[in-house]
């Protein structure tokens, strides 16, 4: 809401106006996420094959409707609910409602973590009730590679993936087979130990065009202008890697330009794990146009036929000869001199790609927890994850985004909760009383990869920004419930705080007595 005030003030004063928020007021003005009350159902045949799945319930929009708020609570939940499993029929009936709480927006994952949470919780419950091993039930229902492309009941078509192989690798790196031994050791120490294995799949942002604009400057630098926006993801590095690989230009010469409406005339922004697929495709296509212009210009410079010009490794060469010109030298000479009609006067390209389809990053996470039954405190003692992000451009950035996403899922599962008193006054109005996870709450992670490149974009990339949260939320909760199964506890609503866990144990003890 403050944006309108800022715009009006800037216009009235004729100068830039900046909004500076305090932490306490940001808890009221910044968008919140995740508030849903959902009833979930899963139908299976006698052998445990999925027949149908259903979600019904409500999503809390808060007091004001932000631009995307209904989508994470309803549409995205439905699109991601079927996950990596063959689920022939699916029904989703989620109503979004206005309340007197703070407005809701797209928080990391924006409906994807919740959807995977519902499916993975259902599978564990179904396995227990039917007397089928939880791992076996999942294996029995995985979509197989030879079924790709697979039309999911959610209405989208998966183009690629090997969900069983990802699952098997996760079991291996997590040392799942020795869990029983570790559980006995925990019991000797007076602790409850639980484990959960959970698969996930996320449908990235819907198809949309993207800008790939390349400008060769006279000083030897190259402007890469995109319509996506880097606000912490690290776009400058992988985008430059893609451009450097396509054109053979020096990595250090590339400058990412973004957010300037005078030169960024198209683009759909960053969100939904779309940036590397959408901007990546735009960069690849724009690079091909640069090469086409370069061949015409190089033919003039080298006094040869355009048909005889080849491009490789950053150089234009007359086929069958050693006569060539480097792309950076060619760009400089075009800046410095005049060229005849029909010859490009620069290598600059302003290109907007066609919409790139959604991709389907997926994986399998394994969490082990220990619980102190006297206090209800949950500690995540082991965490493993194997992911299929398709072609990975920069492994370090991907690992960082994965770790951050996993931690956000842990926070939602175990501690984060906005609370209001009976009069509607928020009582978690600062980071003194709203519990964000800290380093001490997070385990070391064992991470593996099983990439199956996407077939719907030239890089084969799938995105990774929201995958960590989509995988960790259900896995951590299922691990806690598994640890509490000795007491007959089958479910606790998030967050699984020490108080809630302790109360659940006490209630179970009273019932048993």
């Amino acid at each position: 809401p403050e944006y309108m005030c800022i715009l009006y003030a800037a216009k009235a004063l004729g100068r830039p106006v900046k909004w500076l928020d305090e932490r306490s007021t940001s808890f009221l003005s910044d968008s919140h996420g995740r508030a849903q009350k959902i009833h979930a159902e899963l139908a299976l045949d006698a052998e445990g094959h999925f027949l149908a799945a259903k979600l019904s319930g409500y999503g809390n929009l808060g007091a004001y409707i932000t631009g995307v708020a209904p989508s994470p609570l309803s549409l995205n939940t439905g699109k991601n609910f079927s996950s990596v499993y063959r689920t022939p029929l699916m029904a989703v009936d989620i109503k979004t409602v206005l309340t007197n709480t703070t407005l809701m927006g797209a928080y990391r994952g924006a409906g994807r973590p919740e959807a995977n949470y519902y499916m993975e919780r259902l599978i564990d419950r179904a396995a227990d009730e039917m007397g089928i091993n939880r791992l076996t039930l999942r294996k029995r229902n995985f979509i197989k590679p030879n079924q790709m492309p697979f039309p999911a009941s959610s209405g989208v078509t998966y183009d690629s993936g090997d969900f069983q192989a990802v699952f098997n690798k996760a079991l291996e790196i997590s040392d799942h087979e020795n869990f029983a031994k570790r559980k006995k050791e925990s019991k000797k120490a007076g602790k409850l130990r639980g484990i959960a294995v959970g698969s996930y799949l996320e449908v990235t942002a819907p198809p949309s065009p993207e800008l790939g604009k390349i400008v060769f400057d006279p000083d030897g630098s190259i402007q890469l202008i995109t319509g996506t926006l880097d606000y912490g993801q690290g776009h400058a590095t992988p985008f430059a890697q893609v451009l450097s690989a396509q054109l053979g230009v020096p990595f250090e010469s590339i400058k990412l330009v973004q957010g300037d409406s005078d030169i960024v005339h198209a683009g759909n922004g960053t969100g939904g794990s779309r940036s590397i697929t959408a901007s990546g495709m735009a960069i690849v296509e724009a690079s091909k146009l640069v090469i086409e212009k370069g061949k015409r210009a190089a033919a003039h410079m080298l006094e040869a036929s355009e048909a005889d010009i080849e491009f490789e490794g950053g150089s234009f060469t007359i086929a069958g000869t050693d006569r060539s010109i480097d792309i950076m030298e060619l760009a400089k000479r075009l800046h410095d001199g005049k060229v005849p009609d029909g010859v490009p006067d620069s290598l600059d390209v302003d290109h907007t790609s066609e919409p790139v389809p959604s991709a389907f990053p997926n994986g399998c996470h394994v969490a082990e927890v220990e619980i102190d039954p006297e206090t209800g405190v949950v500690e995540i003692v082991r965490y493993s994850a194997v992911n299929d992000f398709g072609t990975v451009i920069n492994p370090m950035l991907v690992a960082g985004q994965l770790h951050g996403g996993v931690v956000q899922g842990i926070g939602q599962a175990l501690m984060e909760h906005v609370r209001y008193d009976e009069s509607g006054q928020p009582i978690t109005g600062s980071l003194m009383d709203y519990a964000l996870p800290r380093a001490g709450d997070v385990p070391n992670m064992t991470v593996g990869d099983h990439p199956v490149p996407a077939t719907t974009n030239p890089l084969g990339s799938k995105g990774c920004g929201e995958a960590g949260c989509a995988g960790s939320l259900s896995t951590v909760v299922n691990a806690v419930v598994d640890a509490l199964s000795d007491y007959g506890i089958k479910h606790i609503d998030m967050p699984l705080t020490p108080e809630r866990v302790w109360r659940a144990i006490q209630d179970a003890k009273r019932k048993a007595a």
Side-chain angles (χ1 to χ4, degrees), residues 40-160:
E41 300 176 48
L42 180 65
L44 308 91
D45 65 18
E47 287 74 41
H49 298 108
F50 297 175
L51 300 176
K54 182 179 180 180
L55 294 178
S56 58
Y58 298 90
N60 179 10
L61 294 169
Y64 311 97
I65 303 178
T66 61
V68 298
S71 178
L73 294 170
S74 55
L75 177 66
N76 282 2
T77 301
K79 285 170 67 175
N80 291 268
F81 179 43
S82 56
S83 187
V84 298
Y85 307 104
R86 299 187 304 275
T87 312
L89 297 172
M90 188 177 77
V92 177
D93 178 13
I94 300 175
K95 298 175 175 63
T96 56
V97 296
L98 292 166
T99 68
N100 64 343
T101 64
T102 305
L103 70 167
M104 212 291 290
Y107 181 64
R108 190 171 195 160
R112 297 167 180 88
E114 299 93 302
N116 283 279
Y117 168 82
Y118 301 139
M119 179 57 75
E120 292 299 315
R121 288 291 296 123
L122 282 170
I123 294 173
D124 270 16
R125 285 291 297 272
D128 293 347
E129 290 184 17
M130 298 181 71
I132 301 175
N133 179 276
R134 296 171 185 173
L135 305 185
T136 301
L137 186 58
R138 287 173 168 82
K139 292 177 184 178
R140 199 163 288 173
N141 289 282
F142 280 137
I143 299 162
K144 296 177 170 57
N146 61 11
Q147 295 177 301
M148 297 292 179
F150 184 82
S153 56
S154 57
V156 298
T157 298
Y158 305 159
D159 69 289
S160 60

Side-chain angles (χ1 to χ4, degrees), residues 50 77 112 167 183 190 235 301 341 375 381 383 417 485 495:
F50 297 175
T77 301
R112 297 167 180 88
F167 184 83
K183 185 178 177 71
H235 289 177
M301 297 290 182
D341 291 342
T375 62
V381 290
Y383 200 94
H417 194 195
S485 61

Side-chain angles (χ1 to χ4, degrees), residues 9 18 23 35 104 121 134 173 181 183 199 223 243 247 295 302 313 317 320 329 344 384 399 444 474 487 492:
K18 183 178 182 179
R23 178 67 71 187
M104 212 291 290
R121 288 291 296 123
R134 296 171 185 173
I173 70 169
K181 186 187 301 182
K183 185 178 177 71
S199 295
Q223 294 184 59
L243 184 61
L247 296 180
K295 285 182 176 180
L302 298 174
T317 305
E329 176 63 22
S384 308
N444 289 325
S474 62
Y487 293 99
I492 307 178

Side-chain angles (χ1 to χ4, degrees), residues 28-318:
L28 299 174
S29 65
D30 292 354
S31 59
H32 296 196
R34 305 280 204 243
Q36 288 178 302
K37 185 175 181 63
I38 298 294
H39 175 78
E41 300 176 48
L42 180 65
L44 308 91
D45 65 18
E47 287 74 41
H49 298 108
F50 297 175
L51 300 176
K54 182 179 180 180
L55 294 178
S56 58
Y58 298 90
N60 179 10
L61 294 169
Y64 311 97
I65 303 178
T66 61
V68 298
S71 178
L73 294 170
S74 55
L75 177 66
N76 282 2
T77 301
K79 285 170 67 175
N80 291 268
F81 179 43
S82 56
S83 187
V84 298
Y85 307 104
R86 299 187 304 275
T87 312
L89 297 172
M90 188 177 77
V92 177
D93 178 13
I94 300 175
K95 298 175 175 63
T96 56
V97 296
L98 292 166
T99 68
N100 64 343
T101 64
T102 305
L103 70 167
M104 212 291 290
Y107 181 64
R108 190 171 195 160
R112 297 167 180 88
E114 299 93 302
N116 283 279
Y117 168 82
Y118 301 139
M119 179 57 75
E120 292 299 315
R121 288 291 296 123
L122 282 170
I123 294 173
D124 270 16
R125 285 291 297 272
D128 293 347
E129 290 184 17
M130 298 181 71
I132 301 175
N133 179 276
R134 296 171 185 173
L135 305 185
T136 301
L137 186 58
R138 287 173 168 82
K139 292 177 184 178
R140 199 163 288 173
N141 289 282
F142 280 137
I143 299 162
K144 296 177 170 57
N146 61 11
Q147 295 177 301
M148 297 292 179
F150 184 82
S153 56
S154 57
V156 298
T157 298
Y158 305 159
D159 69 289
S160 60
D162 190 349
F163 310 134
Q164 176 76 66
V166 170
F167 184 83
N168 291 343
K169 192 169 183 179
L171 294 180
E172 179 185 341
I173 70 169
S174 66
D175 191 28
H176 186 276
E177 64 180 1
N178 289 314
F179 168 72
K181 186 187 301 182
R182 296 191 291 273
K183 185 178 177 71
K184 287 181 181 178
E185 293 170 355
S186 295
K187 190 172 183 179
K188 289 178 183 177
K191 301 288 184 68
L192 307 170
R193 195 177 188 108
I195 191 169
V197 181
S199 295
Y200 75 89
L201 176 141
E202 66 155 310
V203 183
T204 64
S208 54
E210 196 47 70
L211 179 65
K213 191 172 178 181
I214 301 170
V215 177
F216 290 80
D217 288 331
D219 64 0
S221 61
I222 303 166
Q223 294 184 59
L224 175 56
I225 302 163
T226 70
T228 50
L229 186 68
D230 178 359
Y231 46 88
Q233 293 86 351
H235 289 177
T237 302
F239 288 3
Q241 286 179 257
V242 173
L243 184 61
S244 181
Q246 296 295 313
L247 296 180
V249 296
F251 174 87
E252 60 274 10
S253 298
I254 301 169
K255 299 184 298 185
L256 180 64
V257 179
Q258 54 183 6
D260 185 341
S261 57
D262 287 337
I263 56 177
V264 179
H265 56 79
N268 279 271
T270 291
S273 302
R274 70 181 295 273
S275 296
I276 193 60
T277 53
S279 283
M281 185 164 90
I283 294 166
V284 169
E285 292 179 348
S287 297
K288 290 178 179 177
L289 298 177
V290 169
I291 293 169
E292 288 178 15
K293 292 182 73 174
K295 285 182 176 180
R296 296 202 301 274
H300 167 71
M301 297 290 182
L302 298 174
E303 299 180 336
S305 168
E306 182 182 339
D308 292 332
I309 301 297
E310 298 176 341
F311 179 79
E312 185 178 359
S315 292
F316 295 93
T317 305
I318 301 175

